[in-house]
Structures are given as structure tokens and as C-alpha cells.
Amino acid sequence: LSSNQGNMGRLELLQTLSGHQGRVWNVAWNPRGDILASCGEDKTIRLWTTEGTSGQGDSIVGNWVCRSTLVDAHQRTIRAVAWSPCGNRLASASFDATTAVWERRIQQSGGLIRGKEFECVATLEGHESEVKSVSWARSGRLLATCSRDRSVWIWEVENGEDEELEGEFECAAVLNSHSQDVKRVAWHPERDLLASASYDDTVRLYMEDQAHGEWSEIAVLSSHTSTVWGLSWEVQRGEKTEVGCRLATCGGDGSVKIWQEFGPNNTEGVAPGPNGYPTWKCICTLSGHHGGRPVYDVSWCPCTGYIATACGDDAIRIFGEAVGGDSIDFGTPSVELLATQRSAHLQDVNSVTWNPTVPGLKGALCSARMSSG
Amino acid sequence: MAKLEKLENLNPKLFRRCDDRVISSEEQDENVCDEFDNREIFDLIRSINDPEHPLTLEELNVLEINNIHILKTFLKHVVFHVDNQNNEINVRFTPTIPHCSMATLIGLSIQVQLLRALPTRFKVSVQVTPGSHASESAVNKQLADKERVAAALENTYLLEVINQCLTLKQGA
């Protein structure tokens, strides 16, 4: 992505990866940004790396190839994949009502180390129907899943990040606040604060009450007029904002919204929420950009602060915050469209994600392209 | 047919089937580029069976040819756009009764038929005719949710029912 040359930036296609059979639903970068995981209708997860490199940074520009295919853990579509913060674990959410956890383990044969491969080490069961999304908390000790059954589950990972898992997952909470199908869960980049997005048009936030050790809903974000499909926290620290005090959401109403947290003693004079919890307000709505089509995913770049969207009109769009915009009303940001890649794919774009280490490199974008992915 | 305890609509009003389409010599010519028209889309779905009655959707007037639109919106002033078509197909159907619990299933059958028969570039949108169903917005929202549609089509029982609706009967 070359940005801000003139007014409009330009998106450049670096590579097209094919291999999946049928629709590709989701893509995710590992924390180092040198492995891309993809999943879809064909019940497989594919891991992609650049050919012959294991380094960081410059490896992005190489030729991406499928390094391994993870199979046999799910009976139905794999809807989403998520990396643990250490990058050694991967979780996959499936329409078969389970979530699988994969771990990178040293493969030995005849006393020789053959390499590190991912093995399925746990299957989390409990949801009554399709699992739609999965997310790891920053600490790596909590995992969240959500489902068509309207619930959000929080799982505790029993042992530490560096030890091997032996199926050590315990359900810490079942949250039933949504009235419909829950589409997405995403943990805050630093805190144990969870956001969920639903077919009931709302986003909900959850925290653990330290005194009682119980998880509960602390805020309802209502403003979208249709299904909320995507959620992305702001990871970069802004001039006036803390890490993760803003959240971008997108949905079936074709809009993207930016929400901001207002703590108990905020200078803007926003009244605090119940029990002294922060209040979340929609401070910006980007509408009219997506041709009335659903926006299926949104990704807020941790390096550049750009916001990318995946849309049902086959396009990818990039938005950026105008620098030096006046921030009088609650720090209302002035966000503008920087680039549009029409026909980025031949069908709906389902997922968009920024590479976490290389500024401006657009992570993988995946489409619903049949048979070639 | 799906086995049902009792019929919801005991006495449906029947409509006469329209005449078969006349296929022109131009349409049979492989060298002539020929776009999808209303009548072709109509033919793809007219013979879908009602889940409850041994009748087609056309005979029950669930579909009317005038409600089927293939939008051909040409973009103006966009010189670099190679494909001028929007690749959109919007179908509106009218359930036989306003409380028809089969509305979602009928809509799904139409959607599946079109997804199977048409090139993948088309965006197929299936909705109930405004004002024709008590849960209009709920039915429309569900049919527009491609994730739920995809999950429904992985349900073996549901897929069997849909396939039965889509199977052409003798003489139909």
C-alpha cells in the first residue's frame, strides 16, 4: 500500500494464494507476521509461509507457499482461526459446534528432529450449534468462543503459555446477553476485556468482576441497524488516546463505526456507565462508502492506524484518520477513504487482516471464490 | 415431500402455468453473447415444488414473472471498468399466506437453485414481497445472511428437503 500520494492511495496485489476448495472464510497472521493461516468450507486449515525463509520482515516479500494443511479436526466448515499471542497455538472455530486447539510440537522420528508441526491437542465442546468465532486474550490464558446458539463462552487455559497443553481447558463463563446468533468475539489488545458482535445488531463488552470472579456484561453498544459482522480494536497509541480505548465495528448495514471509551473521570464530561464502568460512545460512522453491501470484516492496523474493510461488493477499502483534525467534540475523528480496490476478488471479500509487523503490508484478503480460494 | 403433521394452508388458490418459453435461433447460436433475462431466471425457479403441496411455486403464485429483476445498471463515466454489469439478481416472492412458516424454506430453495444454476459472479438476493408476510424483515434478514445460509446447506435433513423441492417432477 502506497499511501497519501496525492489524495488517494493505491493497493497493489502482491500474490494470490490458491489451494482451498470452495469458500475461504477467514485468514489470520501469526504474531511475528511470517505465517498466514486460512480456513474455509473445505474443513481444512492451510498455513502459508514464504519459500525458503524463516526470518522476519523481508520474508513478507518472498513467494508465499502452502507449508502445511491441517485436516481431520472438524466435520464441517471451519469458520475462523486465531493465533495465541505466543504464536505457538492456533484455535479453529467450526460449524460442527466445536473449537479445536492446535499446538506447534517438535516432530521426532528415529531420534531425529524433523521440524515443528501443528497438532490438534484439544477439542472444546459445549456450544449447541455452529461456532462462529474464536479469540485469545493478550495473556494467552483466556480463550473466547461464540456461536449461533446466542452464547459467548470464556475458557481458561489451565497451564502457562510455555508449557505444552494436555487438553487443559476449563469453561470459566457462559454469557447469554445476546438475543441472536453471535458472529464475532475479540479480546482487547492489553486488558482482559472482551467484545462480541451479533445478528441482534449490537456489540457487547464483558469483564470479570474482581471481587466475585464472575464474568458479566459491562456495556451494550447499539447503533448499527443490521448484523454486526466485524470488530477490531485500535492497537496503536494515538496522540490523545490509550491503546485499545477505541473499537471499530462493521456490519450488514454497510457502515463502519468507531467507538470510544470514556472512563469515570473523563474530561469530556461523558457520564459513566453503571457500576462505575466506562461508557462507550459511537464517535464516528463511515457510511455511504460500501455501495449498500454488507461489510464482513474490519481490521485496524497496529502499525499504521489505517482501517481496512472487506465488503460484499468484492472490494477492499482503506480508511485513515486525518492528521491534525480538530478534536473538540469528544475527540471526534475525521476519517477519510484513502483507497478502494474494486474487484479485489471475484466474489465477496470475507476477511481482511493487516500484517502485525510490516507497516502497510496488507495482510491476506480472502474471498468467497469457489474452488480456488 | 417433507412429512408434515397438518397442512398450514388447506386450500391454496391455484394459478395457471404460463406457456413455455420460445427459444429463438439467436439464443441457440453459441457465437452470440446472450445475457440472462427475466424469463430465463423465471424458468430456473418456476418449477420449484412447494414444501407443503404437490404443486409448483408458479401454480401457487409464489412467484410472478414481474417480480423478478435482473438489474443491469451500467456505470457511467467509469472508463476503466471492464465489466459493466452489476451481477445482481434480486428475487421477490410472495408466500401463500402471511403467516406461512415455510417462507424461509421457499426463499432458501429459490436461492439454492439460483446459486447452483448461475455463474458465481452473480449476487443473488431473495426477499419476500413487501407487505406479504408477517415476519417479513426477519425472513429477509435470514435469507440475506450468507453464513447462516451456508450453515443451513450443511444440514443434511434441510438439504434433503430443499433438494426435494428442487427436483423436477414428471411433466412439470
Side-chain angles (χ1 to χ4, degrees):
Chain A
L1 171 74
S2 46
S3 62
N4 283 336
Q5 289 171 347
N7 228 349
M8 289 302 267
R10 203 168 60 85
L11 283 170
E12 198 182 328
L13 175 68
L14 294 178
Q15 207 182 325
T16 303
L17 310 177
S18 5
H20 280 289
Q21 296 290 312
R23 192 179 268 163
V24 180
W25 275 111
N26 191 217
V27 282
W29 289 106
N30 70 336
R32 280 163 53 107
D34 54 9
I35 309 177
L36 180 77
S38 61
C39 66
E41 200 178 356
D42 64 3
K43 311 174 186 70
T44 71
I45 297 164
R46 282 174 179 264
L47 300 178
W48 309 81
T49 58
T50 49
E51 215 166 15
T53 52
S54 57
Q56 207 174 330
D58 63 327
S59 67
I60 298 297
V61 195
N63 184 44
W64 288 83
V65 290
C66 182
R67 192 176 66 106
S68 50
T69 306
L70 311 183
V71 294
D72 293 336
H74 292 294
Q75 309 301 311
R76 291 180 57 186
T77 286
I78 303 176
R79 175 63 181 91
V81 279
W83 292 90
S84 67
C86 67
N88 286 325
R89 286 168 194 160
L90 183 69
S92 54
S94 168
F95 283 0
D96 70 9
T98 71
T99 304
V101 179
W102 307 78
E103 193 168 72
R104 192 199 299 250
R105 287 202 168 159
I106 294 167
Q107 307 281 306
Q108 289 182 323
S109 69
L112 293 168
I113 293 173
R114 284 170 50 226
K116 285 178 164 182
E117 288 300 330
F118 282 85
E119 270 177 46
C120 181
V121 293
T123 302
L124 312 183
E125 292 174 357
H127 280 296
E128 286 168 26
S129 55
E130 299 106 50
V131 185
K132 299 292 179 71
S133 174
V134 58
S135 174
W136 296 85
R138 183 74 193 88
S139 64
R141 300 230 306 276
L142 294 167
L143 187 72
T145 56
C146 64
S147 162
R148 167 83 177 274
D149 70 10
R150 304 172 185 193
S151 68
V152 171
W153 289 46
I154 294 171
W155 307 80
E156 267 171 23
V157 186
E158 290 289 289
N159 54 10
E161 270 235 85
D162 301 323
E163 297 163 54
E164 287 200 345
L165 290 175
E166 299 288 346
E168 300 289 322
F169 286 85
E170 199 164 285
C171 177
V174 175
L175 301 156
N176 289 305
S177 329
H178 282 294
S179 61
Q180 291 288 343
D181 190 358
V182 191
K183 299 296 195 184
R184 192 73 173 266
V185 278
W187 287 98
H188 186 278
E190 291 185 345
R191 293 181 256 156
D192 285 343
L193 170 63
L194 180 70
S196 64
S198 164
Y199 187 89
D200 71 9
D201 308 351
T202 69
V203 171
R204 288 164 199 266
L205 303 180
Y206 314 87
M207 266 179 74
E208 188 179 19
D209 172 350
Q210 296 300 337
H212 303 92
E214 276 180 16
W215 287 86
S216 58
E217 175 191 296
I218 60 151
V220 185
L221 282 55
S222 305
S223 180
H224 278 289
T225 54
S226 187
T227 303
V228 188
W229 285 103
L231 283 173
S232 187
W233 294 91
E234 183 181 36
V235 178
Q236 207 183 31
R237 190 192 166 91
E239 252 176 71
K240 293 176 180 172
T241 57
E242 297 292 319
V243 169
C245 84
R246 296 194 297 180
L247 178 69
T249 58
C250 65
D253 59 9
S255 77
V256 172
K257 289 177 187 284
I258 297 173
W259 307 78
Q260 187 172 329
E261 178 182 48
F262 294 92
N265 298 309
N266 64 81
T267 50
E268 291 86 354
V270 176
N275 302 322
Y277 284 117
T279 300
W280 287 78
K281 283 178 85 82
C282 178
I283 55 164
C284 178
T285 299
L286 300 166
S287 55
H289 292 290
H290 295 94
R293 289 274 168 199
V295 184
Y296 290 114
D297 198 9
V298 61
S299 178
W300 206 327
C301 183
C303 304
T304 61
Y306 290 144
I307 292 172
T309 59
C311 185
D313 70 353
D314 311 348
I316 292 161
R317 291 177 178 80
I318 311 292
F319 298 87
E321 207 167 327
V323 183
D326 72 284
S327 312
I328 300 163
D329 312 327
F330 307 133
T332 304
S334 165
V335 179
E336 56 192 18
L337 180 67
L338 297 178
T340 303
Q341 181 65 48
R342 296 195 182 280
S343 308
H345 287 276
L346 300 175
Q347 290 185 43
D348 294 357
V349 187
N350 290 327
S351 173
V352 64
T353 175
W354 293 97
N355 186 286
T357 58
V358 183
L361 183 100
K362 152 78 28 180
L365 321 155
C366 75
S367 77
R369 195 183 304 176
M370 306 305 279
S371 81
S372 62
Chain B
M1 280 300 102
K3 293 257 181 335
L4 294 164
E5 295 287 309
K6 105 181 196 299
L7 295 180
E8 268 190 14
N9 186 1
L10 287 174
N11 194 12
K13 192 175 166 192
L14 296 190
F15 294 80
R16 206 173 76 84
R17 289 170 53 84
C18 72
D19 295 330
D20 282 345
R21 180 164 66 108
V22 182
I23 296 169
S24 66
S25 58
E26 204 176 65
E27 282 175 317
Q28 284 178 317
D29 184 350
E30 292 291 330
N31 296 318
V32 176
C33 178
D34 155 39
E35 292 180 320
F36 286 93
D37 59 25
N38 285 5
R39 185 54 208 257
E40 278 175 281
I41 300 303
F42 179 71
D43 281 353
L44 284 173
I45 51 186
R46 64 188 287 198
S47 299
I48 295 175
N49 304 307
D50 185 77
E52 196 169 75
H53 294 282
L55 297 163
T56 65
L57 295 186
E58 182 189 11
E59 287 162 330
L60 293 165
N61 208 28
V62 172
L63 295 163
E64 291 172 75
I65 190 160
N66 293 334
N67 279 338
I68 302 166
H69 307 289
I70 305 178
L71 298 181
K72 289 181 184 173
T73 313
F74 290 90
L75 297 169
K76 286 175 192 166
H77 315 300
V78 182
V79 183
F80 301 105
H81 212 81
V82 183
D83 184 18
N84 276 339
Q85 271 188 298
N86 257 347
N87 292 324
E88 281 183 20
I89 294 180
N90 295 328
V91 179
R92 283 187 172 169
F93 68 99
T94 307
T96 46
I97 46 171
H99 291 278
C100 177
S101 67
M102 298 287 166
T104 313
L105 184 59
I106 295 170
L108 202 53
S109 303
I110 296 170
Q111 210 164 30
V112 171
Q113 175 73 354
L114 293 178
L115 289 174
R116 285 178 183 168
L118 293 168
T120 52
R121 62 190 158 93
F122 282 106
K123 309 270 182 200
V124 177
S125 143
V126 178
Q127 295 186 313
V128 296
T129 307
S132 72
H133 197 273
S135 316
E136 183 182 321
S137 61
V139 171
N140 288 345
K141 190 173 183 180
Q142 193 155 354
L143 290 171
D145 186 323
K146 66 170 186 176
E147 187 186 70
R148 287 167 73 131
V149 169
L153 298 182
E154 287 186 1
N155 177 322
T156 333
Y157 170 74
L158 195 56
L159 192 63
E160 198 180 310
V161 174
I162 290 168
N163 281 336
Q164 278 171 357
C165 292
L166 297 182
T167 306
L168 286 181
K169 282 178 301 187
Q170 291 296 321

